[in-house]
Structure formats: C-alpha cells, structure tokens
Amino acid sequence: MKRADGGNDLGRQSQRPRLEVDAASSTDDTRSCTSTQHSNGGGGGGDDADAAGGVGIDLICNIASFMNPGDDLAGLCVAVGSADAARIRTEYLRDNEQYVAASLAKLKGIPDLTTGWDSFCDNLHVFDKCRDNVTAWMQVNTGWRARCTDEHMERYRGAPLRVEANLVFNNPAVAIEIGLLEVLRFHVEEKGVDVNRRFWNGFNSDNVHLSNDLLIKLALFRGDIDILDFLLSVDGFGFTSMNEVTMSEVENDEQEHDLIVNCFAYRLSRVNERCFEAFIRHPKVNVEALDYFGCTPLCAGLHLLDRWTSRDGARFPLTSAGFDRLAGRILVLLEVGANPHALDPMNRISLIDYARSALGRHTESRHWRAIVQKMEEMSISSAGE
C-alpha cells in the first residue's frame, strides 16, 4: 500500500483545515496529545477507542497515513477530537518525504519565477506556506540534520533543481528563499558554507546552470530580518567573492555598491523597509562603495530619482508611495553618512550641486526639496567641525 503524499490538495487550507500544521500549533498539539496518551495509559483503548467508536487511535493513525489530505482525512481529525487529531498529524508527517517534496513542487510550478525578482516577491506567500509545511515536518522528524551531507550538497546545489525532500536540507539558497533560518544556520555553522560565495541555485535562478546571486541578496528580497541579521553576523562576511559564472573575482566595492543600489532601485524596491534599514545601517556595509564608473550608491540614487521625476506620468505611472520610498531611502543613505560632496563622475560636479540642479528643474518636488535641505544641513555641520 502506497503512502499518501499530499497530492494536488496539499496547500489548500479549505480542504485540509486541521492538517496544515504551523510551527506553533504543531508543538502545542503534540504536547497535548502526549498528555492525553499518558492519562489514558497508552496509545489505544480508553477514551481513544471511544472517540472512534471502539477503534484504537494507533489503528486510526495507521489508516490515516495512507490517506490523501483532503476532506476525508480532515473529517477524521474532526471526529477523533483535537488531542488525537494532533497524534494523527504527527504520525502522518513522520518519515513522509513526499509531503516535503510536494510542498517544494508548488514553488517549482510558479509561473515566471525565474524571469526576475518581481515574480519571486509577488509569490512570497507561497514560500511562506512551504516554510510552514517544512517546519511542521522538521518538528516531527528531528533527525533532519543527518540528511545534509557533502555528497547531497553537491547534488542539490545547481540547476535544474532536483525537487526532492532533501533539497531544502542541502541548499542554503533554497533555505533562504523558503525562510528556514534553522536550516541555514546549520549549513553555515556546522557544514561550513561560505556566505560570500556565489555558488548556489535557488528557485529564482533555476533556469541557469550557475547562480550569480549572493546569499545576502536572496535574504534582502526574501524580506526575512532574522536571516539577514544572521548572515551579516557571520565572521568573515564580506562582498568579495568568486563569480561562478565568469570564474573571476568580483571586486569588493563594485559588488557591494550594486547590492546597495538594488535595495532602492529595483522597482522602487521590492526589498522591504525593515530589511533595507537593517542592511544599510550595519557597520559592515560601506555606503561609499564605488561601482565600475566611480559612482557611489547616493549618486546612483539621485540619478534614478531625477530620471523618474522627469518622466511623463502618463507614460511612466509611478505612485506617490513609490516616490516616497525612493526619496526616503536616499535620505537614509545621508543619515548613515553618505558623502553629499562626493563627485558625480558623469557630470563632474559634487552630488549636492547635482541635487540643487535637480531641484531647480523640479521646483514643485517635495522629495528633492527634502534631499537638498538634508545635504545642506550636513554641509553646515561638517563645516562647523
């Protein structure tokens, strides 16, 4: 008899209201179930048998393990009561690799996921659902660390991804995308994964043979502040790494600059506010990092805001919130010490002069007015020191 794997209804809460276990409820329910077992003197008999009309809970759990998680299994959980339903959920998840694989398969099936960061960010709720499923599975299958081996990490690191249960336990990029800090911490602290290396393919880069995204970039777009904080806290974290695509060393400043600019330039940006603030204010992050042309992130941000402010709103609609976000992040750059007198290499003038010129062209813009005011305040302050 083949064990149920979750089928096509794995992620539908309406069809499986009591089997979709999150991390908190799984722990509480299992504890409640254990208490019930002890009070009844074991797995079967007593109230357990009465709840199922004379059939022991052990037999019910055995039957349930071969059911698909649809209405029948959900109905069974309702019939036996909350404590025994927790027992059924626990036994259903035990050693059930297909449950994890089916959850991962839903990520593989997201349309256009590998064409850019938009689809990834728009489908974070699907990744969250997968995180809850895998977390519940890990709570039952506490020996999951043994699944991570050097051989498996090599097997599961590149594209095309092998959508199997072991994938999530052997690929730190996938662990970040799903939001599994415990797995990522194990990879770094126990398996020695280099957080600076461009080495891993995730679901967002499954259409290329070698990934060219840093783990810290994945964490920024994932929007998980705990994962971001962990990566930044790792000894030796930095921005110089081997680009696995070109097999060349990526310069520290250039790579760091691009990552900072991504935080406010990519579609205004898909990086959430908490992650942006935590990243840009971290002492390991250099806000004066230069790109290939000699531009600082502040320079790139000012040019971006100028270009978008100059566009025809009818041809390039941008919400007020979008402008607020971009201008706000430029102000944060200034707050953390970005130099307003750095050179704009394209116009051969200082950034504060460029901002004044932009304000002259966009006299009604409150964003440019706030930026110029902040720059002038910094200039006065530095002159008085």
Side-chain angles (χ1 to χ4, degrees):
M1 186 177 284
K2 185 178 180 181
R3 183 167 188 163
D5 65 359
N8 294 326
D9 297 324
L10 183 64
R12 298 181 185 175
Q13 293 181 351
S14 61
Q15 289 191 304
R16 192 183 182 190
R18 293 180 178 269
L19 278 176
E20 295 298 343
V21 192
D22 61 28
S25 65
S26 174
T27 303
D28 295 341
D29 288 348
T30 303
R31 190 181 301 114
S32 172
C33 174
T34 303
S35 168
T36 302
Q37 285 181 265
H38 288 168
S39 66
N40 289 336
D47 293 338
D48 291 339
D50 292 340
V55 179
I57 188 61
D58 288 339
L59 178 58
I60 293 176
C61 287
N62 190 36
I63 294 172
S65 68
F66 294 96
M67 299 174 67
N68 285 322
D71 291 335
D72 290 342
L73 191 51
L76 181 61
C77 288
V78 172
V80 300
S82 60
D84 287 340
R87 172 88 179 274
I88 291 173
R89 287 194 293 270
T90 298
E91 295 305 319
Y92 182 84
L93 293 172
R94 194 181 309 282
D95 299 324
N96 191 351
E97 293 186 4
Q98 292 91 338
Y99 182 82
V100 177
S103 295
L104 295 172
K106 289 187 175 293
L107 307 181
K108 184 87 168 181
I110 295 175
D112 302 323
L113 182 60
T114 60
T115 60
W117 289 103
D118 279 340
S119 184
F120 176 67
C121 294
D122 289 340
N123 286 279
L124 285 179
H125 63 286
V126 185
F127 285 84
D128 289 343
K129 185 66 177 62
C130 183
R131 176 199 60 205
D132 294 342
N133 288 349
V134 176
T135 299
W137 189 92
M138 290 166 58
Q139 290 180 337
V140 173
N141 300 276
T142 56
W144 59 266
R145 291 172 180 81
R147 293 172 171 269
C148 182
T149 66
D150 293 341
E151 180 181 356
H152 281 164
M153 294 186 86
E154 179 61 30
R155 170 183 173 85
Y156 292 105
R157 81 170 184 87
L161 294 180
R162 300 172 184 267
V163 184
E164 302 165 356
N166 281 335
L167 168 64
V168 70
F169 304 115
N170 289 277
N171 185 317
V174 171
I176 291 173
E177 288 177 331
I178 294 174
L180 295 170
L181 175 59
E182 185 179 3
V183 176
L184 177 65
R185 187 185 298 277
F186 175 73
H187 288 157
V188 174
E189 296 180 350
E190 302 297 328
K191 301 301 292 184
V193 166
D194 182 355
V195 298
N196 301 324
R197 191 177 182 190
R198 295 181 170 196
F199 189 69
W200 306 92
N201 280 82
F203 284 96
N204 80 309
S205 58
D206 193 24
N207 62 341
V208 294
H209 293 296
L210 292 168
S211 177
N212 60 355
D213 285 327
L214 288 171
L215 295 182
I216 190 71
K217 184 176 180 180
L218 281 174
L220 281 165
F221 279 88
R222 179 61 177 85
D224 190 313
I225 191 71
D226 294 328
I227 287 179
L228 182 68
D229 284 343
F230 169 70
L231 289 174
L232 290 169
S233 72
V234 173
D235 289 341
F237 171 83
F239 294 93
T240 299
S241 71
M242 179 66 74
N243 186 327
E244 300 291 329
V245 175
T246 62
M247 297 307 294
S248 61
E249 189 85 358
V250 178
E251 291 300 325
N252 188 2
D253 272 7
E254 185 177 346
Q255 187 163 254
E256 187 171 5
H257 172 279
D258 291 348
L259 191 57
I260 295 171
V261 172
N262 268 315
C263 287
F264 55 81
Y266 190 86
R267 296 293 179 92
L268 287 171
S269 156
R270 305 308 292 267
V271 177
N272 68 40
E273 296 298 328
R274 288 184 65 207
C275 282
F276 172 75
E277 290 264 353
F279 177 71
I280 209 67
R281 294 182 184 277
H282 198 278
K284 289 183 179 178
V285 176
N286 174 23
V287 296
E288 295 297 314
L290 301 178
D291 67 3
Y292 176 80
F293 300 101
C295 291
T296 64
L298 176 59
C299 177
L302 292 174
H303 278 275
L304 195 62
L305 182 63
D306 190 13
R307 185 162 64 249
W308 279 338
T309 310
S310 301
R311 297 272 188 130
D312 181 350
R315 293 188 300 109
F316 191 80
L318 199 60
T319 65
S320 176
F323 278 114
D324 289 345
R325 189 180 304 115
L326 176 57
R329 293 185 179 187
I330 291 174
L331 289 171
V332 171
L333 277 176
L334 291 167
E335 288 173 9
V336 297
N339 182 10
H341 296 285
L343 181 68
D344 173 4
M346 289 172 278
N347 294 292
R348 308 304 299 174
I349 58 176
S350 68
L351 295 181
I352 189 171
D353 286 337
Y354 178 83
R356 287 166 176 158
S357 173
L359 177 59
R361 287 180 275 108
H362 311 295
T363 55
E364 302 301 319
S365 172
R366 58 185 175 85
H367 302 106
W368 280 110
R369 191 175 302 111
I371 290 169
V372 170
Q373 180 179 347
K374 178 65 177 177
M375 286 179 151
E376 290 178 341
E377 290 174 356
M378 293 174 66
S379 296
I380 294 172
S381 176
S382 61
E385 293 179 356

